[in-house]
Amino acid sequence: MIYEQRIYKCVPGRLPALLNRFATITLKIWDKHGIKQAGFFTTLIGESNQELTYFLAWESLAEREKKWTGFMSDPVWIDARAKSEADGQIIANIVSQILAPTAFSAVK
């Protein structure tokens, strides 16, 4: 198993819109594509409280490529994303890392 950490830094004041989009739209489309989330987090203490951090669980890089490409090109997602940004851009920056658990990790 490998994990992807994604950190979305929002345009100031737009974190609620991003959280709403995940809760009402994105997760349903992920289910359709078989994308498995491993946790979502907002920043309580840290550099910015305008960030959403989440983890995705993948069996392999090939699985990630196939499923993520399918999600990103899904017309339902493209339309929903555009509608959710009708009031303005939500995300200022995205940082993504692919992580492999160590031999002593509680998460495998």
Side-chain angles (χ1 to χ4, degrees):
M1 194 61 103
I2 58 175
Y3 294 87
E4 182 173 2
Q5 175 188 17
R6 297 180 64 85
I7 303 171
Y8 288 23
K9 184 168 187 158
C10 291
V11 171
R14 298 290 281 155
L15 181 59
L18 180 62
L19 296 175
N20 183 61
R21 184 167 75 187
F22 270 101
T24 63
I25 299 167
T26 308
L27 294 178
K28 292 175 188 173
I29 301 171
W30 282 4
D31 285 343
K32 179 172 101 173
H33 290 277
I35 296 173
K36 296 178 281 186
Q37 61 112 332
F40 280 85
F41 308 88
T42 55
T43 303
L44 185 60
I45 298 173
E47 185 177 322
S48 173
N49 65 355
Q50 292 298 302
E51 292 180 347
L52 174 66
T53 300
Y54 68 90
F55 293 87
L56 299 173
W58 305 106
E59 294 292 332
S60 66
L61 289 174
E63 178 199 30
R64 183 205 180 270
E65 179 67 25
K66 179 182 176 189
K67 291 181 177 180
W68 194 255
T69 299
F71 162 67
M72 291 298 290
S73 61
D74 187 317
V76 174
W77 165 243
I78 293 168
D79 183 58
R81 182 180 60 199
K83 287 178 181 173
S84 73
E85 294 177 344
D87 293 335
Q89 182 179 340
I90 294 174
I91 300 167
N93 184 45
I94 299 172
V95 175
S96 176
Q97 297 184 84
I98 304 295
L99 308 169
T102 62
F104 49 86
S105 174
V107 175
K108 299 288 181 193

